[in-house]
Short mmCIF file of all heavy atoms in Angstrom, two decimals:
data_model
loop_
_atom_site.label_atom_id
_atom_site.label_comp_id
_atom_site.label_asym_id
_atom_site.label_seq_id
_atom_site.Cartn_x
_atom_site.Cartn_y
_atom_site.Cartn_z
N PHE A 1026 7.91 -158.39 -89.45
CA PHE A 1026 6.83 -157.11 -89.50
C PHE A 1026 7.70 -155.77 -89.50
O PHE A 1026 8.46 -155.46 -88.65
CB PHE A 1026 5.85 -157.19 -88.49
CG PHE A 1026 4.84 -158.21 -88.65
CD1 PHE A 1026 4.98 -159.41 -87.89
CD2 PHE A 1026 3.71 -157.88 -89.29
CE1 PHE A 1026 4.00 -160.36 -87.98
CE2 PHE A 1026 2.75 -158.91 -89.41
CZ PHE A 1026 2.79 -160.13 -88.85
N ILE A 1027 7.62 -155.13 -90.79
CA ILE A 1027 8.26 -153.79 -90.92
C ILE A 1027 7.36 -152.76 -91.14
O ILE A 1027 6.36 -152.86 -91.92
CB ILE A 1027 9.13 -153.87 -92.17
CG1 ILE A 1027 10.40 -154.92 -91.91
CG2 ILE A 1027 9.70 -152.63 -92.53
CD1 ILE A 1027 11.14 -155.33 -93.12
N HIS A 1028 7.49 -151.65 -90.36
CA HIS A 1028 6.53 -150.64 -90.41
C HIS A 1028 7.18 -149.48 -91.41
O HIS A 1028 8.32 -149.17 -91.31
CB HIS A 1028 6.31 -149.97 -88.98
CG HIS A 1028 5.14 -148.86 -88.94
ND1 HIS A 1028 3.88 -149.26 -88.75
CD2 HIS A 1028 5.11 -147.59 -89.17
CE1 HIS A 1028 3.15 -148.21 -88.76
NE2 HIS A 1028 3.89 -147.20 -89.04
N CYS A 1029 6.19 -148.99 -92.28
CA CYS A 1029 6.53 -147.98 -93.19
C CYS A 1029 5.87 -146.55 -92.88
O CYS A 1029 4.79 -146.66 -92.84
CB CYS A 1029 6.22 -148.35 -94.63
SG CYS A 1029 6.52 -147.08 -95.79
N LEU A 1030 6.77 -145.62 -92.65
CA LEU A 1030 6.24 -144.17 -92.32
C LEU A 1030 6.86 -143.29 -93.35
O LEU A 1030 8.00 -143.20 -93.68
CB LEU A 1030 6.73 -143.85 -90.89
CG LEU A 1030 6.33 -142.60 -90.38
CD1 LEU A 1030 4.87 -142.50 -90.05
CD2 LEU A 1030 7.01 -142.24 -88.94
N THR A 1031 5.81 -142.49 -93.97
CA THR A 1031 6.25 -141.60 -94.83
C THR A 1031 6.24 -140.09 -94.26
O THR A 1031 5.44 -139.81 -93.43
CB THR A 1031 5.14 -141.50 -96.09
OG1 THR A 1031 3.79 -141.14 -95.54
CG2 THR A 1031 5.22 -142.78 -96.84
N ILE A 1032 7.28 -139.34 -94.69
CA ILE A 1032 7.38 -138.00 -94.28
C ILE A 1032 7.39 -137.19 -95.56
O ILE A 1032 8.47 -137.13 -96.37
CB ILE A 1032 8.63 -137.69 -93.49
CG1 ILE A 1032 8.69 -138.51 -92.10
CG2 ILE A 1032 8.94 -136.22 -93.18
CD1 ILE A 1032 9.94 -138.43 -91.28
N ILE A 1033 6.33 -136.45 -95.75
CA ILE A 1033 6.22 -135.77 -97.15
C ILE A 1033 5.80 -134.27 -97.00
O ILE A 1033 5.55 -133.91 -95.77
CB ILE A 1033 5.05 -136.45 -97.89
CG1 ILE A 1033 3.74 -136.34 -97.14
CG2 ILE A 1033 5.38 -137.98 -98.21
CD1 ILE A 1033 2.49 -136.73 -98.05
N GLY A 1034 6.03 -133.61 -98.11
CA GLY A 1034 5.59 -132.13 -98.11
C GLY A 1034 6.42 -131.36 -97.11
O GLY A 1034 7.61 -131.42 -97.09
N GLN A 1035 5.72 -130.60 -96.29
CA GLN A 1035 6.42 -129.70 -95.39
C GLN A 1035 6.22 -130.10 -93.98
O GLN A 1035 5.14 -130.49 -93.48
CB GLN A 1035 5.95 -128.15 -95.44
CG GLN A 1035 6.78 -127.14 -94.85
CD GLN A 1035 6.31 -125.70 -95.36
OE1 GLN A 1035 5.60 -125.67 -96.36
NE2 GLN A 1035 6.86 -124.86 -94.68
N ILE A 1036 7.39 -130.14 -93.18
CA ILE A 1036 7.25 -130.51 -91.73
C ILE A 1036 6.48 -129.35 -90.88
O ILE A 1036 7.00 -128.32 -90.93
CB ILE A 1036 8.65 -130.70 -91.11
CG1 ILE A 1036 9.58 -131.68 -92.19
CG2 ILE A 1036 8.59 -131.34 -89.78
CD1 ILE A 1036 8.93 -133.10 -92.21
N GLU A 1037 5.46 -129.71 -90.40
CA GLU A 1037 4.74 -128.64 -89.65
C GLU A 1037 5.11 -128.72 -88.21
O GLU A 1037 5.12 -129.77 -87.47
CB GLU A 1037 3.18 -129.01 -89.76
CG GLU A 1037 2.20 -127.80 -89.26
CD GLU A 1037 0.82 -128.19 -89.37
OE1 GLU A 1037 0.23 -127.81 -90.54
OE2 GLU A 1037 0.13 -128.84 -88.68
N GLY A 1038 5.36 -127.51 -87.63
CA GLY A 1038 5.86 -127.40 -86.33
C GLY A 1038 4.64 -126.76 -85.34
O GLY A 1038 3.61 -127.42 -85.37
N HIS A 1039 5.02 -125.64 -84.72
CA HIS A 1039 4.19 -125.18 -83.73
C HIS A 1039 3.07 -124.28 -84.44
O HIS A 1039 2.08 -123.97 -83.68
CB HIS A 1039 4.89 -124.20 -82.70
CG HIS A 1039 6.04 -124.93 -82.16
ND1 HIS A 1039 5.86 -126.08 -81.28
CD2 HIS A 1039 7.35 -124.71 -82.01
CE1 HIS A 1039 6.91 -126.47 -80.71
NE2 HIS A 1039 7.95 -125.71 -81.31
N TYR A 1040 3.19 -124.01 -85.65
CA TYR A 1040 2.08 -123.16 -86.33
C TYR A 1040 1.58 -123.99 -87.48
O TYR A 1040 2.20 -124.72 -88.15
CB TYR A 1040 2.73 -121.86 -86.86
CG TYR A 1040 3.29 -121.01 -85.85
CD1 TYR A 1040 4.68 -121.00 -85.69
CD2 TYR A 1040 2.51 -120.18 -85.17
CE1 TYR A 1040 5.31 -120.19 -84.60
CE2 TYR A 1040 3.12 -119.33 -84.07
CZ TYR A 1040 4.46 -119.44 -83.96
OH TYR A 1040 4.96 -118.49 -82.85
N ILE A 1041 0.20 -123.96 -87.56
CA ILE A 1041 -0.64 -124.74 -88.47
C ILE A 1041 -0.36 -124.01 -89.90
O ILE A 1041 -0.60 -122.84 -90.00
CB ILE A 1041 -2.04 -124.68 -88.13
CG1 ILE A 1041 -2.25 -125.48 -86.82
CG2 ILE A 1041 -2.89 -125.34 -89.26
CD1 ILE A 1041 -3.64 -125.47 -86.32
N LEU A 1042 0.00 -124.77 -90.87
CA LEU A 1042 0.18 -124.31 -92.27
C LEU A 1042 -1.04 -124.34 -92.93
O LEU A 1042 -2.10 -124.95 -92.62
CB LEU A 1042 1.25 -125.30 -92.99
CG LEU A 1042 2.63 -125.23 -92.44
CD1 LEU A 1042 3.40 -126.33 -92.96
CD2 LEU A 1042 3.17 -123.87 -92.54
N PRO A 1043 -1.23 -123.39 -93.99
CA PRO A 1043 -2.49 -123.41 -94.87
C PRO A 1043 -2.98 -124.82 -95.33
O PRO A 1043 -2.07 -125.73 -95.48
CB PRO A 1043 -2.11 -122.58 -96.07
CG PRO A 1043 -0.96 -121.75 -95.52
CD PRO A 1043 -0.11 -122.59 -94.66
N SER A 1044 -4.24 -125.03 -95.38
CA SER A 1044 -4.81 -126.37 -95.71
C SER A 1044 -4.49 -126.82 -97.07
O SER A 1044 -4.47 -127.94 -97.36
CB SER A 1044 -6.42 -126.26 -95.66
OG SER A 1044 -6.85 -125.22 -96.63
N GLN A 1045 -4.02 -125.97 -97.97
CA GLN A 1045 -3.65 -126.41 -99.38
C GLN A 1045 -2.08 -127.09 -99.39
O GLN A 1045 -1.79 -127.62 -100.34
CB GLN A 1045 -3.72 -125.34 -100.39
CG GLN A 1045 -2.72 -124.28 -100.29
CD GLN A 1045 -3.28 -123.10 -99.38
OE1 GLN A 1045 -4.28 -123.27 -98.72
NE2 GLN A 1045 -2.75 -121.90 -99.61
N ASN A 1046 -1.47 -126.86 -98.15
CA ASN A 1046 -0.11 -127.45 -98.16
C ASN A 1046 -0.16 -128.94 -97.73
O ASN A 1046 -0.89 -129.35 -96.88
CB ASN A 1046 0.66 -126.68 -97.09
CG ASN A 1046 1.03 -125.33 -97.52
OD1 ASN A 1046 0.32 -124.66 -98.35
ND2 ASN A 1046 2.19 -124.81 -97.04
N LYS A 1047 0.69 -129.62 -98.34
CA LYS A 1047 0.92 -130.97 -97.96
C LYS A 1047 1.78 -131.01 -96.77
O LYS A 1047 2.99 -130.49 -96.92
CB LYS A 1047 1.48 -131.89 -99.15
CG LYS A 1047 0.56 -132.34 -100.12
CD LYS A 1047 -0.23 -133.58 -99.70
CE LYS A 1047 -1.06 -134.19 -100.81
NZ LYS A 1047 -1.81 -135.25 -100.46
N THR A 1048 1.36 -131.54 -95.68
CA THR A 1048 2.20 -131.49 -94.33
C THR A 1048 2.40 -132.85 -93.68
O THR A 1048 1.56 -133.67 -93.76
CB THR A 1048 1.60 -130.42 -93.49
OG1 THR A 1048 0.42 -130.96 -93.03
CG2 THR A 1048 1.50 -129.12 -94.15
N THR A 1049 3.54 -132.83 -92.97
CA THR A 1049 3.68 -134.02 -91.92
C THR A 1049 3.70 -133.24 -90.63
O THR A 1049 4.61 -132.44 -90.34
CB THR A 1049 5.14 -134.68 -92.21
OG1 THR A 1049 5.04 -135.27 -93.46
CG2 THR A 1049 5.38 -135.65 -91.11
N LYS A 1050 2.77 -133.61 -89.71
CA LYS A 1050 2.60 -132.92 -88.50
C LYS A 1050 3.53 -133.69 -87.48
O LYS A 1050 3.36 -134.95 -87.20
CB LYS A 1050 1.21 -133.02 -87.98
CG LYS A 1050 0.31 -132.24 -89.07
CD LYS A 1050 -1.17 -132.30 -88.64
CE LYS A 1050 -2.14 -131.65 -89.61
NZ LYS A 1050 -1.93 -130.17 -89.75
N TYR A 1051 4.30 -133.15 -86.70
CA TYR A 1051 5.29 -133.78 -85.88
C TYR A 1051 4.62 -134.28 -84.56
O TYR A 1051 4.92 -135.24 -84.08
CB TYR A 1051 6.51 -132.94 -85.41
CG TYR A 1051 6.19 -131.80 -84.38
CD1 TYR A 1051 6.76 -132.02 -83.04
CD2 TYR A 1051 5.26 -130.80 -84.44
CE1 TYR A 1051 6.60 -131.10 -81.99
CE2 TYR A 1051 4.99 -129.96 -83.44
CZ TYR A 1051 5.74 -130.14 -82.18
OH TYR A 1051 5.46 -129.24 -81.15
N GLU A 1052 3.46 -133.67 -84.26
CA GLU A 1052 2.72 -134.30 -83.16
C GLU A 1052 2.06 -135.56 -83.45
O GLU A 1052 1.51 -136.28 -82.64
CB GLU A 1052 1.77 -133.18 -82.59
CG GLU A 1052 0.50 -133.02 -83.48
CD GLU A 1052 0.71 -131.92 -84.49
OE1 GLU A 1052 1.95 -131.62 -84.77
OE2 GLU A 1052 -0.22 -131.30 -84.93
N HIS A 1053 1.99 -135.94 -84.74
CA HIS A 1053 1.47 -137.19 -85.20
C HIS A 1053 2.49 -138.22 -85.23
O HIS A 1053 2.28 -139.41 -84.81
CB HIS A 1053 0.69 -137.08 -86.50
CG HIS A 1053 -0.57 -136.20 -86.44
ND1 HIS A 1053 -1.36 -135.95 -87.57
CD2 HIS A 1053 -1.16 -135.61 -85.41
CE1 HIS A 1053 -2.37 -135.21 -87.25
NE2 HIS A 1053 -2.33 -135.13 -85.96
N VAL A 1054 3.60 -137.73 -85.81
CA VAL A 1054 4.85 -138.74 -86.01
C VAL A 1054 5.49 -139.16 -84.74
O VAL A 1054 5.82 -140.40 -84.50
CB VAL A 1054 5.87 -138.00 -86.90
CG1 VAL A 1054 7.14 -138.96 -87.04
CG2 VAL A 1054 5.32 -137.78 -88.27
N ILE A 1055 5.56 -138.26 -83.79
CA ILE A 1055 6.31 -138.61 -82.49
C ILE A 1055 5.64 -139.74 -81.68
O ILE A 1055 6.34 -140.80 -81.35
CB ILE A 1055 6.51 -137.44 -81.60
CG1 ILE A 1055 7.60 -136.44 -82.20
CG2 ILE A 1055 6.93 -137.76 -80.17
CD1 ILE A 1055 7.83 -135.21 -81.64
N PRO A 1056 4.28 -139.72 -81.56
CA PRO A 1056 3.68 -140.86 -80.83
C PRO A 1056 3.70 -142.10 -81.53
O PRO A 1056 3.80 -143.27 -80.98
CB PRO A 1056 2.09 -140.31 -80.74
CG PRO A 1056 2.20 -138.95 -80.78
CD PRO A 1056 3.30 -138.61 -81.75
N GLN A 1057 3.73 -142.06 -83.03
CA GLN A 1057 3.91 -143.28 -83.74
C GLN A 1057 5.29 -143.85 -83.57
O GLN A 1057 5.34 -145.11 -83.33
CB GLN A 1057 3.72 -142.95 -85.27
CG GLN A 1057 2.26 -142.68 -85.61
CD GLN A 1057 2.13 -142.48 -87.17
OE1 GLN A 1057 2.29 -143.37 -87.87
NE2 GLN A 1057 1.80 -141.23 -87.58
N LEU A 1058 6.35 -143.05 -83.44
CA LEU A 1058 7.61 -143.58 -83.20
C LEU A 1058 7.74 -144.27 -81.81
O LEU A 1058 8.44 -145.32 -81.71
CB LEU A 1058 8.68 -142.45 -83.38
CG LEU A 1058 8.82 -141.84 -84.82
CD1 LEU A 1058 9.85 -140.72 -84.75
CD2 LEU A 1058 9.08 -142.89 -85.77
N VAL A 1059 7.17 -143.68 -80.98
CA VAL A 1059 7.04 -144.33 -79.43
C VAL A 1059 6.42 -145.57 -79.52
O VAL A 1059 6.96 -146.62 -79.04
CB VAL A 1059 6.47 -143.33 -78.49
CG1 VAL A 1059 6.45 -144.03 -77.16
CG2 VAL A 1059 7.24 -141.95 -78.37
N ALA A 1060 5.30 -145.69 -80.16
CA ALA A 1060 4.55 -146.97 -80.29
C ALA A 1060 5.32 -148.02 -81.01
O ALA A 1060 5.31 -149.20 -80.54
CB ALA A 1060 3.10 -146.66 -81.08
#
C-alpha cells in the first residue's frame, strides 16, 4: 500500500491566499504525514 500525496500550486502558510489561487495548505498536509 503506497500513499500518493500531491503538492501543487502555491504553498499556503499563515495567511489565506485569494480563492482563485491553486494552493496546498500546510495545516492539511502535516496531519496527513503524521497519519
Side-chain angles (χ1 to χ4, degrees):
F1026 285 97
I1027 295 173
H1028 191 86
C1029 174
L1030 181 65
T1031 56
I1032 297 179
I1033 62 168
Q1035 196 164 348
I1036 311 298
E1037 187 177 270
H1039 303 299
Y1040 299 97
I1041 298 175
L1042 295 172
S1044 59
Q1045 67 267 23
N1046 288 29
K1047 281 280 187 182
T1048 62
T1049 296
K1050 300 178 185 294
Y1051 83 112
E1052 71 270 24
H1053 292 174
V1054 174
I1055 288 175
Q1057 288 186 68
L1058 295 180
V1059 175

